[in-house]
Amino acid sequence: MSFGKPEGYDADARPRPLGRRGASQAAAAAVCLVLGLGLISGAVTGTWLMGDSGEEGSRSTFTSAGSLWHSVPVDQLFPPTVQGQGAGPGGADRTWTRIAVAPDSGCADAFDPLLRKALAPVGCERLLRATYTDATGSYVTTVGLLFTKADAPGMTSLANRFRKERLDRRSDLMPLPYAAQDTPAAEFGAGQRAAWTVSVLTEAPVVVYAVSGWADGRTVDDPQPAEDAMESGATTAPAQAGLGYEAQGLADRVERGLRKNVRSATEQPS
């Protein structure tokens, strides 16, 4: 027993075997096949020509960020003037002027003992610091960039610990200011710290921090994390003075500048 070829119907509703295909249809199918294979091979070739995969690119960015402390001029990391549009209370603008830059150094004696212990797992490659004053000369703020020796998993682990244990909100883990002589920050010592912020980055081996206080050297009995001092209705002296905004606003803008420098470094041809 044998079966005939199945039939279909042509444009005039006449039966025709489905097995028969016109030459034009076969040619079209062949062209589609060739184009499809070309697109696939082109995509593969493009991947090779592009170089790094996303994961490898992230590693490259992380590595580039770790070298910025010696490859980028200080005026790019800590600009002489920093504009803080909308950075003050109620969205007011802020302008900060740099009054001192600390010599780049290690971390010995740069942090209180407990904060030094908390940061120890990521190590200390280099510490850069600068101190700024606001446009009125009433406040001083030290901002720091701690370049660590950690890899990406190490930074992620530290960031998770800071978040889970809320280490960035503990007053016994406040960063120390940089009090430069013969500047408005000459009396900006440990007892003058009023508000602070600490940010552990995960896409770069860097810890960004800032600590603010009054320029007249007054002692502060109730320092607050910048986040708390910026809350609506906060009544502490640092909150009323807007010192939380000083610390957070300056730290945010220095961090943005760091990210911009990282992008520039990774986009440069090798």
Side-chain angles (χ1 to χ4, degrees), residues 46 60 68 109 212 227 251 253 269:
S60 176
L68 291 182
D109 303 320
S212 62
E227 185 177 347
R253 278 143 187 86

Side-chain angles (χ1 to χ4, degrees), residues 59-189:
R59 286 199 296 268
S60 176
T61 299
F62 189 92
T63 301
S64 296
S67 65
L68 291 182
W69 66 268
H70 64 76
S71 62
V72 174
V74 67
D75 284 353
Q76 288 182 226
L77 294 174
F78 300 124
T81 302
V82 177
Q83 299 295 334
Q85 185 175 5
D93 294 339
R94 280 286 186 268
T95 299
W96 296 282
T97 301
R98 194 184 70 199
I99 56 176
V101 176
D104 62 315
S105 65
C107 295
D109 303 320
F111 299 109
D112 282 342
L114 286 179
L115 181 55
R116 184 167 62 246
K117 182 178 180 181
L119 296 172
V122 295
C124 174
E125 179 67 29
R126 215 68 175 175
L127 177 63
L128 307 183
R129 295 169 292 169
T131 297
Y132 289 77
T133 187
D134 70 308
T136 69
S138 302
Y139 314 120
V140 284
T141 302
T142 292
V143 59
L145 296 172
L146 167 60
F147 288 82
T148 76
K149 298 180 179 180
D151 55 12
M155 293 302 294
T156 299
S157 177
L158 183 67
N160 289 339
R161 185 187 173 204
F162 263 69
R163 184 182 67 256
K164 292 176 182 178
E165 300 180 24
R166 300 170 68 86
L167 301 185
D168 57 336
R169 306 174 72 83
R170 283 176 44 173
S171 60
D172 56 351
L173 293 174
M174 276 191 295
L176 285 171
Y178 174 61
Q181 296 302 309
D182 302 319
T183 72
E187 299 181 64
F188 189 23

Side-chain angles (χ1 to χ4, degrees), residues 144-255:
L145 296 172
L146 167 60
F147 288 82
T148 76
K149 298 180 179 180
D151 55 12
M155 293 302 294
T156 299
S157 177
L158 183 67
N160 289 339
R161 185 187 173 204
F162 263 69
R163 184 182 67 256
K164 292 176 182 178
E165 300 180 24
R166 300 170 68 86
L167 301 185
D168 57 336
R169 306 174 72 83
R170 283 176 44 173
S171 60
D172 56 351
L173 293 174
M174 276 191 295
L176 285 171
Y178 174 61
Q181 296 302 309
D182 302 319
T183 72
E187 299 181 64
F188 189 23
Q192 285 69 44
R193 294 174 291 184
W196 78 95
T197 180
V198 178
S199 177
V200 180
L201 306 187
T202 56
E203 68 275 29
V206 180
V207 177
V208 183
Y209 68 85
V211 57
S212 62
W214 279 272
D216 60 10
R218 74 182 70 177
T219 301
V220 180
D221 296 325
D222 55 350
Q224 274 191 304
E227 185 177 347
D228 290 350
M230 293 167 62
E231 286 186 357
S232 176
T235 59
T236 63
Q240 293 292 306
L243 285 166
Y245 289 91
E246 297 293 312
Q248 190 66 61
L250 190 53
D252 284 347
R253 278 143 187 86
V254 168
E255 182 178 327

